[in-house]
């Protein structure tokens, strides 16, 4: 693609940036589809269109600068086709793995649960349209932990809480910590001890 840009009068900077923009489009579109898949969507028309256009542009540029023989064009097309195909295979594996995990509501996952603000889902300004009428998973996990105390009265470990809800051990420890801090008792009066 760099060579094609130079052949058609682009300066050196553009000839460097255009391939990055095309390949970047492929990566961003794939990641967008992956993220949409994690929320139960197929990715949308724009993401799939950009993925297709970026892939065709990359493949087309390699073919355009190839030796004009059939073998020359196949050889020139191979690196681009292999990269695109390999990247999409990787993304499809990640999408498949994420499809097997429980779908998580928006706002439920954050980069670092230690710094997540616990939202009061009774507050209309904080609750999103998907959250009305749905049980809050964090409060459900906390109620489960309270109902399943160990024989000595201690709460289950964060790992055990997490396993019960198909989450990470870190999530379970976070639930236990914020539950003990009283941040999950807002709606559930049975947690007041």
């Amino acid at each position: 693609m760099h060579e094609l840009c130079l052949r058609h009068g682009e300066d050196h900077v553009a000839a460097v940036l255009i391939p990055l923009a095309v390949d970047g489009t492929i990566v961003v579109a794939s990641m967008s589809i992956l993220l949409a898949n994690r929320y139960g969507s197929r990715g949308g028309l724009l993401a799939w269109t950009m993925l297709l256009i970026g892939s065709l542009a990359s493949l087309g540029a390699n073919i355009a600068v190839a030796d004009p023989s059939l073998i020359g064009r196949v050889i020139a097309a191979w690196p681009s086709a292999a990269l695109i195909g390999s990247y999409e295979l990787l993304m499809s594996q990640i999408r498949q793995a994420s499809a097997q995990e429980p779908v998580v509501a928006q706002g439920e996952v954050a980069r670092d649960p230690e710094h997540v603000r616990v939202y009061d889902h009774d507050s209309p300004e904080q609750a999103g349209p998907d959250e009305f009428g749905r049980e809050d998973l964090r409060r459900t996990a906390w109620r489960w932990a309270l109902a399943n105390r160990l024989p000595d009265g201690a709460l289950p470990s964060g790992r055990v809480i997490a396993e019960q809800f198909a989450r990470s051990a870190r999530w379970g420890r976070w639930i236990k910590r914020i539950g003990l801090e009283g941040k999950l008792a807002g709606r559930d009066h049975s947690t007041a001890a």
Side-chain angles (χ1 to χ4, degrees):
M1 192 172 295
H2 179 266
E3 185 178 333
L4 185 64
C5 290
L6 291 175
R7 282 187 192 178
H8 289 277
E10 295 295 332
D11 64 14
H12 182 68
V13 173
V16 168
L17 293 178
I18 289 173
L20 292 175
V22 171
D23 291 341
T25 298
I26 294 168
V27 171
V28 170
S30 294
M31 296 306 288
S32 177
I33 293 167
L34 174 63
L35 182 61
N37 184 263
R38 287 183 179 222
Y39 289 104
S41 172
R42 296 208 27 97
L45 182 62
L46 180 60
W48 283 102
T49 301
M50 294 306 292
L51 178 62
L52 181 64
I53 290 171
S55 299
L56 290 175
S58 180
L59 191 59
N62 283 4
I63 292 171
V65 297
D67 184 55
S69 68
L70 177 63
I71 292 175
R73 290 190 173 154
V74 169
I75 291 170
W78 177 251
S80 181
L83 178 64
I84 293 165
S86 298
Y87 187 72
E88 278 310 303
L89 283 172
L90 175 64
M91 289 294 106
S92 69
Q93 289 175 359
I94 294 171
R95 285 191 293 264
Q96 185 178 23
S98 69
Q100 293 171 355
E101 295 174 3
V103 176
V104 177
Q106 283 184 333
E108 193 69 46
V109 173
R111 284 180 288 175
D112 184 2
E114 300 295 322
H115 296 94
V116 173
R117 184 172 146 216
V118 178
Y119 291 97
D120 178 6
H121 291 285
D122 293 331
S123 172
E125 65 271 10
Q126 292 175 343
D130 293 341
E131 295 182 54
F132 288 112
R134 252 179 40 205
E135 185 65 26
D136 182 3
L137 183 62
R138 294 170 294 201
R139 287 192 174 111
T140 301
W142 178 240
R143 283 194 303 266
W144 181 89
L146 290 171
N148 291 281
R149 288 181 181 267
L150 300 174
D152 66 357
L155 290 169
S157 70
R159 182 185 53 78
V160 171
I161 295 169
E163 287 173 359
Q164 195 66 28
F165 294 88
R167 297 287 193 252
S168 71
R170 184 176 186 181
W171 184 86
R173 289 189 304 270
W174 175 66
I175 291 297
K176 187 174 178 178
R177 183 179 58 78
I178 65 173
L180 289 170
E181 291 172 0
K183 294 180 180 176
L184 295 176
R187 219 177 10 184
D188 181 51
H189 301 294
S190 68
T191 62

